[in-house]
Amino acid sequence: KRVENYDSQAVLEAMRSCLAPLGGMGAFVRPGQRVLLKPNLLGPFAVKKAVTTHPTIVRAAILLAQEAGGTVFIGDSPGVGSLAYVAKACGLTPVLEETGAALADFSTSQEFDGPDNTVAKRLTLVKAVADADVIVTLPKLKTHGQMTFTGALKNQYGLIPGTLKSQWHFRLQRPQWLAALILDIHRIARPALAIMDGIVGMEGKGPSGGRPRFLGAILAGQDLAAVDTLACLLIGLEPRFVPVLEAARTQGIGATSVDKMEIVGEDWRALRAPDFEKVSELEDLLRLVPLPKGFLNWIRGQWTARPRIIGSRCIQCDVCTNGCPVSPAAIHPDAPPHRQIDDDACIRCYCCHELCPNHAIELMRPRLARWLRL
């Protein structure tokens, strides 16, 4: 659905119209059900930076779920700060006060069995997953330094309790394995609906250091892979180069090509932004090259972007050090410039880049990557 701005009433009506072909919110939420809305609340970022799901998107989803008779809770596991603190910083406090929706308990965890999972047959997620009758995910359309793109499927990574996310980053250092874990979470959580905030997305060095980019779109669907696939096509990104969508295609989860999905509403081609700045990686190309595994791993190490601290921006808040999944941490802002990053210990998860509140960590390409133009 085309939307020109974040006017509260315009967004509400656009979301209502977007959901109408699916049967409206009432097709997913029944009277008396507990509804968990899962926005992207990565950290305490200002609304104008387009890092988190916009408050008017959350507001509209709350009101429609309440109209359907649901009791609504909002939850995410931010990378920095408590849920209450981040929700306030992201502009959700007035929305909660207006609608009467409450923050979910994301501090209590529970183990879930996933017999069909490929990475973890047993997963620890927030207990709010078990408490909810219905989960509606509210992702932000953004690029992602490690996973190329973050949308509906990736948004469920926030159902992992805070500190465990870093542990999984350390254990699953390749995007393909992390993508498989995200699909494991998807199987357990089973979101009934995705409503994507694509009115203003993020291009470039996402998911937090890129630039806001107006797209003017709200996307919704019960097939999360299809929602992500269409979002990728809107920004000129080939879905097979997105690890989560490639994993979904391989595992047969959802539709990952336009010819396998039914698209209703306005002509999506009119909303395309082919000049959208994307994240480019050599990873997918390397999988097609018939060379020894050890040599390919060496090339990856020489090609993959590495975090570097921009001293003029760094306020030495230690968010990067505390969020680093490596122990001891691979990043030390208070060290001399040539010792701030331990490249041998760094696993290229880019959590530091993702969580830095001052955008003081850039992802720098090694010399080989600067020489080669693919």
Side-chain angles (χ1 to χ4, degrees), residues 147-148 176 228-229 232-233 237-250 256-257 283-285 287-288:
M147 302 300 288
T148 307
Q176 287 74 20
D228 281 348
T229 297
C232 287
L233 295 176
L237 176 60
E238 174 57 52
R240 65 192 175 95
F241 290 151
V242 177
V244 173
L245 288 177
E246 179 61 13
R249 185 192 65 79
T250 302
T256 54
S257 62
E283 184 71 25
D284 290 283
L285 180 61
R287 291 191 293 107
L288 307 177

Side-chain angles (χ1 to χ4, degrees), residues 200-224:
V200 176
M202 176 174 285
E203 65 178 354
K205 300 176 181 179
S208 64
R211 294 184 300 277
R213 173 68 184 269
F214 176 79
L215 293 168
I218 292 179
L219 284 68
Q222 56 196 109
D223 180 344
L224 274 63

Side-chain angles (χ1 to χ4, degrees), residues 219 225-235 239 245 258 261 263 268:
L219 284 68
V227 172
D228 281 348
T229 297
L230 186 59
C232 287
L233 295 176
L234 287 180
I235 62 175
L245 288 177
V258 172
M261 63 179 77
I263 303 175
W268 64 272

Side-chain angles (χ1 to χ4, degrees), residues 52-65:
T52 55
T53 306
H54 198 278
T56 58
I57 293 289
V58 179
R59 174 185 179 272
I62 292 172
L63 292 177
L64 294 181

Side-chain angles (χ1 to χ4, degrees), residues 9 26 28 49 54 60 64 100-101 106 113-115 131 157 163 198-199 203 210 212 232 270 291 315:
Q9 191 60 31
F28 305 95
K49 293 186 176 181
H54 198 278
L64 294 181
F106 265 51
D113 290 321
D131 294 338
Y157 195 65
T163 57
I199 299 176
E203 65 178 354
C232 287
L291 291 173
I315 58 175

Side-chain angles (χ1 to χ4, degrees), residues 19-226:
L19 294 179
L22 302 175
M25 187 67 84
F28 305 95
V29 176
R30 305 297 182 192
Q33 287 187 321
R34 293 169 58 92
V35 183
L36 174 61
L37 297 183
K38 166 61 180 72
N40 182 325
L41 299 178
L42 176 63
F45 295 94
V47 175
K48 65 181 181 181
K49 293 186 176 181
V51 175
T52 55
T53 306
H54 198 278
T56 58
I57 293 289
V58 179
R59 174 185 179 272
I62 292 172
L63 292 177
L64 294 181
Q66 289 175 336
E67 283 182 13
T71 301
V72 181
F73 298 85
I74 311 297
D76 193 8
S77 182
V80 179
S82 68
L83 174 57
Y85 171 69
V86 171
K88 181 178 180 179
C90 295
L92 286 182
T93 299
V95 172
L96 297 176
E97 292 173 348
E98 174 194 355
T99 62
L103 293 179
D105 177 11
F106 265 51
S107 62
T108 306
S109 60
Q110 178 175 318
E111 289 192 340
F112 295 81
D113 290 321
D116 297 326
N117 286 0
T118 61
V119 174
K121 301 295 184 182
R122 195 166 181 80
L123 266 174
T124 299
L125 303 176
V126 293
K127 186 176 179 293
V129 172
D131 294 338
D133 298 306
V134 182
I135 297 177
V136 177
T137 190
L138 305 175
K140 185 79 166 176
L141 192 160
K142 298 187 294 181
T143 51
H144 194 281
Q146 184 187 22
M147 302 300 288
T148 307
F149 171 83
T150 175
L153 288 169
K154 174 70 170 59
N155 199 39
Q156 273 52 257
Y157 195 65
L159 297 176
I160 297 178
T163 57
L164 288 182
K165 291 201 292 291
S166 294
Q167 293 181 29
W168 278 115
H169 270 296
F170 183 72
R171 293 171 62 184
L172 306 176
Q173 299 181 17
R174 295 283 300 281
Q176 287 74 20
W177 282 106
L178 198 59
L181 174 67
I182 289 168
L183 294 185
D184 284 353
I185 300 169
H186 173 72
R187 287 188 185 91
I188 292 174
R190 292 175 298 154
L193 175 67
I195 305 173
M196 181 177 289
D197 176 6
I199 299 176
V200 176
M202 176 174 285
E203 65 178 354
K205 300 176 181 179
S208 64
R211 294 184 300 277
R213 173 68 184 269
F214 176 79
L215 293 168
I218 292 179
L219 284 68
Q222 56 196 109
D223 180 344
L224 274 63

